[in-house]
Each structure stands twice: as structure tokens, then as C-alpha cells.
Amino acid sequence: MANPSNLIRLVPLQLEDLPAHQALKLSLNQRRGRGMSRTSGTQDQSMDPQKTSQTLDRPEPDALEANGRPHIQSFIKAILDDAVIFIDDTLPTKFEPHSNKSSTSAKTKIELLQRHVSAKELSKVDWQGSKIPRHVPDHVGSEAWFARRSRHVNEQAKGTANLDEFDFALRSDHCQHEAMYTPEVYDAHCVLDWRISEEMVRESDFADYQNITMSIFEMCHKLPFPLSTRVFSVLVITATTGREDFVVVQLPVDIGTLQEAFYSNGRNLTEGSTALKRKKPIMGKYMSIERCVLRPIANEIEWTMATTSDAMGWLPMWAQRIGIPGAIAHDVDFLMDWIREKRKAGPLKG
């Protein structure tokens, strides 16, 4: 049996685990202690911390660059591969039924599933020996996973949506759109963006992955009183996985020392534009995979989403687990309502 993925995990990525970016610096004493220091003791070349986006267009064959960072192509492909395997193979065989819910805005039933991944199972994760090595965490707890699956007629009609509309809403500008259709999200702050060029995709071994994006966002959630606001910093990777399907992956990432962050490093306390944005949040951990696939025979879109999270603070995990299934089911209604309003202005296409 294969070891669990070291990437599809609730353990946050560290800055040194990420591919090179102009805003990231990698000094010698930051490098992981596994013999990857192949350069002199200088910092990464061409790293300008004033820039928060860059275009990458030169493919490299190796998984790791000379500076010890993962190569961008290998990093993205490994995450997308693991995410697709998780939804297509792991979820159908490892998850158990939780409940079924009806949607008020979508003409469909929502199937909810669950899985508990124990700390013992996670002790088998090969953090450094996998395709994309990453730092070994000091502590790894269990993961409580929840998933939902729904099927939607592939039509531009009330109570459903076609594939172009799903692609527009979920893959294109994923975080910005999530902030628009989810009432509790009050900000989606873009921290960094890797602008993946079409040339890099053409010349790299991405298989069927196209339209690739990768960025870091701080997703800000307001919770009912007396709970504090929560901020989840996530690395977001999106791609089409064929002509009739796509995937969106969000992985937790620790950006507390990154100057381009806004909430994670406390800049919001003095620079926030509203009282809500100036509140001191609790930093949580969140990861999710969303996948939409068109089933042509039935002319249905199968929308699957799996997530594990920890809101941190004093909110106990047992209480979080009670609320998550209902929350992810409500997202179906939120999205359908939003698409219905947006299509009034014209056709939606990612």
C-alpha cells in the first residue's frame, strides 16, 4: 500500500517548501537540513521582495532547483496528480457515508461523506522522500475529512448550471469568486501570484493539465459572536484536466514572516480599510480539493469537494466537526444563487 501523500495534508507548507518567486528569499540558514544546499551561502538570485507576481516560462526537468526549492513544474504537477487521485480513487474507496441533504437552490441531492485519518496513519507519510520533499513537521495530529458530491444537469437554467458556468465560478478567480458568493467571507487578499505562462505549459510535461494558475490568498471569515474572525492562508492551484473537467486545490501555508501578507503578519491591525479588517484574527488551517467532471452520457456535471480544516482558537474540534457537513452543503446553494444572478448580465465562461 502506498504511503499517504505528503502534499495533500493539513500540515501547512513552509515558505522554503515553495517554488521560487520574486518575493521569496531563501538564505542558507533557512534551507532544509537534508543536503540540498547546492549554492554558495548567498540568497536566491533575482529575488525582488517588492514584486508579488512573476511570469514563469522556462521549463526545467528536475524536481528541485539548485537552490533547494522545488521546481515549479514538478511541484504543480505533483499536487495536481495527488489531488485528482484523491478525488477519483481515495474518496470512493476510503470515505464513508455521512448523510444526504436537499438543496433549496439547486435541483439536486447532496451526498455527504466523511473519513478520519489517524495520527498513526499519518506517521507513515514520507515527508522528505516523496516526489516533492518538504520540511518534516514537529507534530502531526489526525485529520477529520468531510466531502460532498452533487450532480447537476449541464444546462444554463434555474437550479442548475452548465460546465462553462461552473468553470467560471469555481476555477476562474476562485478565491475572489468565493468571497462574492459566500456570506461569511469578508476578504480574499491576494498575497503572491505565480503567473504560469502558456509557453511553460506547452513545453513542460503537464500531461492534460492546462490553464494552470498558482497563488497564495488569505481567506477571511467572520464567525458568529463571540467567536473571533478567522483567516486561512492557502496556496491555491487551479487547472483544467481535460476538455470537460477541472480541479481546484487549496493547501495551508505558513506566511507569517512574509511581508506581502496582510493578516498573517498583523499589518491589517493598522492598515485595514474597515473596522472588520482591522480586527485581530485567529489563524486557522484549511485545505480542500474541488473537482468538476462532465458526464456526457447523463449530461450531468459531477461536483465533488473534499476538505479538512482546523479553525484553531478555543473552538473544540468536536464542535467544528458538527458544523462542517452542513456548511459545505450550504455552499451548493450559495453558488447556484450567485450564478443565477451573474448570468443575467450575459453568458459566463472561465
Side-chain angles (χ1 to χ4, degrees):
M1 182 180 296
N3 288 335
S5 168
N6 70 328
L7 298 169
I8 308 301
R9 298 271 67 93
L10 191 56
V11 175
L13 292 162
Q14 302 299 306
L15 292 180
E16 59 265 32
D17 294 329
L18 301 177
H21 187 284
Q22 292 171 332
L24 300 177
K25 291 184 177 181
L26 184 63
S27 61
L28 182 63
N29 60 12
Q30 289 176 309
R31 292 193 176 97
R32 288 158 253 156
R34 55 173 192 265
M36 291 185 181
S37 178
R38 301 175 187 152
T39 62
S40 65
T42 59
Q43 294 180 330
D44 283 351
Q45 300 299 311
S46 71
M47 292 292 152
D48 181 359
Q50 300 303 316
K51 298 180 180 180
T52 60
S53 66
Q54 65 178 32
T55 300
L56 300 166
D57 55 15
R58 292 179 177 270
E60 296 282 346
D62 298 327
L64 293 174
E65 294 186 351
N67 59 23
R69 289 190 179 275
H71 196 279
I72 182 76
Q73 289 94 331
S74 301
F75 182 82
I76 290 174
K77 188 174 186 300
I79 290 174
L80 291 174
D81 284 346
D82 283 3
V84 170
I85 290 171
F86 189 96
I87 295 295
D88 292 356
D89 298 337
T90 303
L91 192 147
T93 59
K94 299 288 188 180
F95 279 61
E96 299 177 348
H98 178 279
S99 60
N100 293 308
K101 290 187 177 293
S102 298
S103 171
T104 58
S105 300
K107 298 176 181 178
T108 188
K109 296 289 186 181
I110 302 169
E111 179 186 4
L112 296 169
L113 307 104
Q114 62 185 350
R115 185 188 182 210
H116 177 77
V117 183
S118 67
K120 181 179 180 180
E121 184 174 352
L122 291 176
S123 68
K124 301 175 184 177
V125 173
D126 189 353
W127 299 99
Q128 295 186 344
S130 299
K131 290 181 292 184
I132 301 297
R134 54 179 295 191
H135 80 288
V136 179
D138 295 330
H139 171 74
V140 179
S142 61
E143 293 176 351
W145 282 86
F146 293 93
R148 60 166 160 77
R149 184 163 48 208
S150 55
R151 294 174 177 85
H152 308 260
V153 177
N154 181 34
E155 293 180 354
Q156 184 180 323
K158 183 179 180 180
T160 189
N162 62 26
L163 184 62
D164 282 343
E165 292 175 319
F166 271 103
D167 184 65
F168 170 82
L170 294 176
R171 184 188 63 82
S172 178
D173 295 327
H174 174 82
C175 292
Q176 297 95 322
H177 288 170
E178 183 178 314
M180 294 177 185
Y181 67 75
T182 308
E184 70 174 25
V185 176
Y186 64 89
D187 196 12
H189 174 72
C190 183
V191 178
L192 298 181
D193 181 48
W194 286 259
R195 295 178 181 175
I196 312 300
S197 71
E198 293 182 4
E199 179 183 356
M200 187 184 78
V201 174
R202 284 196 307 269
E203 297 183 8
S204 300
D205 182 21
F206 276 123
D208 291 331
Y209 301 126
Q210 298 289 326
N211 304 304
I212 298 169
T213 69
M214 185 167 79
S215 54
I216 293 177
F217 272 81
E218 292 171 307
M219 301 302 294
C220 307
H221 293 246
K222 53 188 177 184
L223 300 182
F225 179 84
L227 299 176
S228 299
T229 56
R230 294 298 196 275
V231 170
F232 302 92
S233 53
V234 287
L235 177 75
V236 186
I237 299 177
T238 72
T240 54
T241 52
R243 296 184 63 183
E244 298 176 336
D245 47 300
F246 63 85
V247 63
V248 177
V249 189
Q250 297 187 81
L251 302 174
V253 58
D254 184 355
I255 57 172
T257 60
L258 190 63
Q259 69 178 21
E260 285 77 14
F262 190 66
Y263 297 92
S264 303
N265 59 13
R267 283 203 298 127
N268 69 296
L269 301 179
T270 56
E271 299 178 26
S273 59
T274 67
L276 181 58
K277 293 181 179 181
R278 288 192 295 272
K279 285 188 175 182
K280 183 177 181 179
I282 291 176
M283 303 303 301
K285 297 183 293 184
Y286 175 87
M287 87 142 295
S288 70
I289 305 169
E290 294 194 66
R291 182 150 161 76
C292 281
V293 179
L294 176 62
R295 306 298 185 191
I297 295 178
N299 193 35
E300 289 182 337
I301 297 162
E302 185 175 87
W303 177 18
T304 307
M305 181 265 199
T307 183
T308 181
S309 62
D310 187 348
M312 306 298 285
W314 59 264
L315 188 62
M317 184 55 69
W318 64 262
Q320 297 181 46
R321 291 173 182 170
I322 291 174
I324 291 174
I328 63 176
H330 282 313
D331 287 342
V332 176
D333 291 330
F334 293 149
L335 187 76
M336 288 295 111
D337 290 340
W338 186 74
I339 289 177
R340 187 179 67 248
E341 290 299 315
K342 292 292 288 185
R343 67 162 61 116
K344 292 178 181 178
L348 306 179
K349 189 173 178 64

